[in-house]
Amino acid sequence: MSVEPTEYVARLRARAGDPGREEALRRDRTARRRKVALAAGAGVLLLGGFGYWLADVTGERPPYEPFGAATVREEIWPLEWPYTVDMPFRNSPAEGWAQGADGIYVPQAMPSGRLAEKDITPVLEEVRTLLAETNVSPRTLAGAEPAAGLALLDARGLDDAVRRDLVTRFDTGQVDVDARGIRTRGTMRYEVSAAGEVVVHADYTFVYPLVWARREVLPTVAEVSRVSVRRQLTVTARGGKLVLVSYASEAAGHDCAAPKDGRLHPLTAEGRWKAYRAAEGALVDPYEEGRVLRDGPGHCVTPTGT
């Protein structure tokens, strides 16, 4: 049955004047608002839960904690991720350096003044032996005294702190030196003084890959830390001994807050990241050629990389 327009308008006007109409509309609006609020609250909870899950699977965690590492080629891992036994020199210029004592080059001796080649060469070889015995000998690195190397030095006037610092050691209960060995690079040069003595200047950097005994990045893949040690020294040959004229050293990748127990304590990936953050830009490039170290032993620095 059709309804005339005039009758329909009359009905609307009658409903508009109904005193219960406003209350019914109020209750309806309240109910709808409650439903909207409940739906929005559920959406926030759902989104929050999804966000937590997403953060967990996409790596919103400390940058030194690798995630999904087994599916990514290690050569493109982020700098903050740990080094491993598979690539102990990842992202390091030292990878292409000579191994161990092979990197301690001795210059060719040339006659100078009253000194012949045979007078100069033994002094250069003694400096090489000193560096090798105190920095790359497996026994020394494990804690033994490098007696043969230190015996080359004139002990008179040799500061105890310098004597201890000349030797590189690690705690073998924590770490082992990687079997592929230490990387070494540097320079050695000499001159003959006005007094007719051979004076040798050496500047060498040693980079140690250290395998953690009880830290794994992936199953059966151990974490590796790297420590670099740079030594700059000047010695002169006098009375059959090497006399230390000047000395400076610097360690990077070592825990600067560790107890001074005669050993170097490598930083893990977490430690490297925290040290980098704490350094506030005061970083040192351990590979910078020609950089003169601050005089004295045992300087600990935060590196741009090791």
Side-chain angles (χ1 to χ4, degrees):
M1 180 178 65
S2 63
V3 179
E4 294 293 332
T6 55
E7 183 180 351
Y8 178 71
V9 171
R11 288 181 184 179
L12 288 177
R13 286 175 177 172
R15 289 178 183 175
D18 185 353
R21 179 175 179 274
E22 286 299 323
E23 177 62 20
L25 290 174
R26 185 190 66 78
R27 288 197 301 268
D28 181 65
R29 285 195 299 268
T30 300
R32 282 187 285 111
R33 286 170 181 166
R34 186 177 294 115
K35 289 179 181 178
V36 170
L38 288 172
V44 168
L45 290 174
L46 179 62
L47 184 60
F50 176 73
Y52 181 82
W53 172 84
L54 185 64
D56 185 59
V57 299
T58 57
E60 292 300 325
R61 60 183 74 194
Y64 51 81
E65 291 186 3
F67 55 93
T71 64
V72 181
R73 298 196 317 275
E74 187 169 344
E75 59 264 29
I76 61 173
W77 282 10
L79 291 172
E80 297 83 1
W81 284 13
Y83 310 125
T84 78
V85 290
D86 290 338
M87 297 187 69
F89 286 98
R90 190 181 84 241
N91 303 321
S92 174
E95 182 174 12
W97 292 6
Q99 293 188 15
D102 291 343
I104 308 175
Y105 298 109
V106 173
Q108 175 65 47
M110 301 294 291
S112 178
R114 290 178 296 177
L115 297 182
E117 179 182 340
K118 64 181 180 62
D119 301 314
I120 299 172
T121 298
V123 178
L124 301 178
E125 290 291 348
E126 286 183 350
V127 174
R128 183 182 188 277
T129 298
L130 173 65
L131 290 169
E133 286 292 313
T134 54
N135 292 283
V136 300
S137 164
R139 294 183 65 258
T140 301
L141 297 176
E145 182 78 355
L150 293 178
L152 298 171
L153 286 169
D154 187 344
R156 293 173 297 179
L158 183 61
D159 186 89
D160 287 342
V162 172
R163 181 185 174 90
R164 288 192 301 271
D165 187 75
L166 279 166
V167 182
T168 302
R169 295 186 177 97
F170 297 98
D171 183 351
T172 54
Q174 288 186 325
V175 294
D176 292 316
V177 179
D178 186 88
R180 278 164 286 191
I182 304 152
R183 296 295 190 266
T184 306
R185 188 180 69 174
T187 59
M188 186 187 301
R189 60 184 178 84
Y190 75 93
E191 59 191 338
V192 177
S193 70
E197 298 174 335
V198 180
V199 181
V200 183
H201 307 276
D203 179 1
Y204 278 91
T205 299
F206 306 90
V207 183
Y208 304 89
L210 304 156
V211 182
W212 285 90
R214 289 176 290 276
R215 296 183 66 91
E216 291 185 342
V217 181
L218 297 170
T220 72
V221 180
E223 179 173 352
V224 166
S225 292
R226 291 198 299 260
V227 170
S228 69
V229 175
R230 187 167 186 171
R231 303 198 188 280
Q232 294 178 345
L233 54 90
T234 297
V235 298
T236 186
R238 187 178 301 156
K241 292 285 188 178
L242 299 177
V243 178
L244 195 61
V245 177
S246 65
Y247 175 74
S249 73
E250 185 178 87
H254 158 68
D255 183 0
C256 298
K260 298 186 183 301
D261 58 2
R263 294 181 174 89
L264 293 174
H265 299 271
L267 292 169
T268 61
E270 177 180 357
R272 283 191 294 112
W273 183 79
K274 290 180 177 178
Y276 183 87
R277 296 265 295 184
E280 297 182 347
L283 304 175
V284 170
D285 180 1
Y287 299 112
E288 181 184 350
E289 295 184 13
R291 184 169 58 88
V292 178
L293 305 185
R294 287 180 293 157
D295 188 46
H299 298 300
C300 185
V301 298
T302 302
T304 54
T306 56

